[in-house]
Amino acid sequence: MTVPRRRGPTAPRGTVGAAPFDPSAHRRGPGFRRDRITALGYTSLAAYAYCLYALAPFLTLLRRDLDFSYLVMSLHSTTFAAGSVLSGLFFTQALRRLGRHRLFWLSVLGTACGVVLLAIGSTVAFTLAATALLGVTGPMLQTSSLALLSVHHSAHRDRALVEANAAASLAAVLAPALIGSLGGTDAGWRAGLTLPVAVFAVLFLLGRGRPLPGRGPAADAVRPGRLPGRFWLRSAALGAAAGIEFGTVFYGAPLLVSRLGLGVSQAASLMTLFAVGILTGRTAGSRLVADQGRAPRLLTGSLLLTAAGLGVLWSSHALVLSCGALLVAGAGVANLFPLSFSHAIAAAPDRSDLAAARNQLVVNSAIMAAPLALGALSDRVGVSAAFAVQAVLIVAALLLVTVDRTGTRGGTGTRGGTGKPGGTGAPGDTGCEVLPVDGSGD
């Protein structure tokens, strides 16, 4: 049964109503506006993305200098992801106790400290400890930023998250290029981790004394209740997408070394092409996703493009072909995370903080499992054969997305979603109205 959409002051705060889709409602609704909150969210995500994408070439070079195995290299990414899992488990409790403002800035501080400790570490034990700290606070910052943007731009969630990840991609392009290029200089590749610390310091200076929405305890920011089954289906697809992306991030360079016989520093630098592909894909995606109905099809197309790029990368022994494959794979991977993340939240738009935290938990579990599986298999059968894990993840993601689209076409309702028969449930559908749960329109 379709519930008429309620408008006006009598609608309960934070509720979601549903109505048959009316295309003209998009034209009547408020336009997308980038303001201070938007800029803060974009910049913080970019700084964290730099840390995340710097980690893979950093560990590749660290493995060369400290002479440890692929499994120990993967243990760093697993430690990072284990901290991230803890971050996802306790995000909602931290949000209730601290509020958005304090949680955000404590996450900035912790991430900056983790980066500094990682940069000065000279033993495996020390770098593992630094990675664990970064794993807890970095994803907490990412989740805080994504949840803030999701609530602040509820009617344009797809566009805000794709643009935010496009900004993050700029940093992702810079990270491997800078770390790799510093590998042969007097400054050393460790100096590449000073850039995000400087950005975090600037963020603090600019944001000091300007409270974010939900400055106090945010007991009302996380609505109680179960997340719907469709959310978990979409979140599982998000987890597969994260495994695809970070399996490639961490093991793309070792694959290039194995297939092409490149040096470690050269292979780490070439991974910049993967990040360039991601940036290109997200720039294009920010335009394509303006049409809300394209999001599910764009997700399927992105998976197929990723499969083509990684397939060529895995089978190629030619440098030029491998470089092109990295670009194509990056363009395919580009929109998997933001669209899957946003699509999952659309299944429970009235509980976006809780949905964002659970999404992050799934993502970080995938980041922990995929590189660990690749590392363990690489030590046994070689990097090239182990890369088949990526094919398994792509097939799994395609199946999950297909099941979700088939169920939606069949008119399956989604509790907490749009409730629109036959609708996609894509973020921004005008079949639902999402009010900011903190009551702030800043």
Side-chain angles (χ1 to χ4, degrees), residues 24 56 60 78 131 159 166 176 204 355 362-363 382 417 437:
S24 65
T60 301
T78 301
T131 304
R159 185 171 182 180
F204 177 76
V362 170
V363 166
V437 292

Side-chain angles (χ1 to χ4, degrees), residues 131-158:
T131 304
L133 175 61
L134 186 61
V136 171
T137 57
M140 191 76 76
L141 174 61
Q142 183 186 34
T143 306
S144 298
S145 301
L146 290 171
L148 181 64
L149 289 171
S150 295
V151 170
H152 190 59
H153 293 291
S154 58
H156 301 278
R157 188 185 300 113
D158 268 349

Side-chain angles (χ1 to χ4, degrees), residues 43-64:
T43 308
S44 60
L45 283 171
Y48 171 68
Y50 182 96
C51 299
L52 193 58
Y53 275 80
L55 190 59
F58 187 94
L59 291 177
T60 301
L61 293 164
L62 190 67
R63 176 181 176 273
R64 179 195 66 184

Side-chain angles (χ1 to χ4, degrees), residues 255-308:
L255 181 66
L256 290 172
V257 172
S258 173
R259 281 288 183 180
L260 305 179
L262 301 176
V264 173
S265 295
Q266 186 181 5
S269 296
L270 279 179
M271 286 303 296
T272 303
L273 294 172
F274 182 69
V276 169
I278 291 178
L279 173 60
T280 303
R282 284 178 178 163
T283 302
S286 65
R287 297 177 180 274
L288 293 174
V289 84
D291 180 355
Q292 306 292 349
R294 289 184 180 176
R297 289 177 305 208
L298 184 57
L299 190 55
T300 301
S302 295
L303 284 167
L304 294 175
L305 190 61
T306 301

Side-chain angles (χ1 to χ4, degrees), residues 9 28 59 78 117 125 172 219 223 237 322 333 340 369 381 395 397 409 422:
R28 293 194 301 266
L59 291 177
T78 301
L117 293 175
R223 292 173 59 84
S322 295
V333 163
S340 298
V381 300
V395 171
R409 285 197 195 104

Side-chain angles (χ1 to χ4, degrees), residues 216-426:
D220 295 333
V222 185
R223 292 173 59 84
R226 283 178 144 186
L227 292 167
R230 175 140 300 186
F231 165 81
W232 293 110
L233 179 67
R234 295 175 179 180
S235 191
L238 170 65
I244 295 165
E245 179 175 352
F246 287 96
T248 306
V249 166
F250 281 96
Y251 277 86
L255 181 66
L256 290 172
V257 172
S258 173
R259 281 288 183 180
L260 305 179
L262 301 176
V264 173
S265 295
Q266 186 181 5
S269 296
L270 279 179
M271 286 303 296
T272 303
L273 294 172
F274 182 69
V276 169
I278 291 178
L279 173 60
T280 303
R282 284 178 178 163
T283 302
S286 65
R287 297 177 180 274
L288 293 174
V289 84
D291 180 355
Q292 306 292 349
R294 289 184 180 176
R297 289 177 305 208
L298 184 57
L299 190 55
T300 301
S302 295
L303 284 167
L304 294 175
L305 190 61
T306 301
L310 291 183
V312 173
L313 179 66
W314 176 76
S315 60
S316 172
H317 291 278
L319 178 60
V320 174
L321 195 58
S322 295
C323 290
L326 281 172
L327 286 169
V328 172
V333 163
N335 296 299
L336 293 182
F337 175 80
L339 286 179
S340 298
F341 195 99
S342 180
H343 205 43
I345 288 181
D350 56 337
R351 293 188 291 279
S352 55
D353 282 303
L354 179 60
R358 294 298 176 259
N359 270 345
Q360 201 63 52
L361 180 60
V362 170
V363 166
N364 292 323
S365 298
I367 294 174
M368 177 172 62
L372 183 62
L374 280 164
L377 287 172
S378 294
D379 284 332
R380 289 177 176 270
V381 300
V383 177
S384 182
F387 215 71
V389 169
Q390 299 297 84
V392 174
L393 290 173
I394 290 172
V395 171
L398 280 169
L399 286 173
L400 289 166
V401 170
T402 301
V403 169
D404 178 51
R405 291 188 66 183
T406 301
T408 304
R409 285 197 195 104
T412 304
T414 304
R415 186 171 64 88
T418 64
K420 188 175 66 199
T424 63

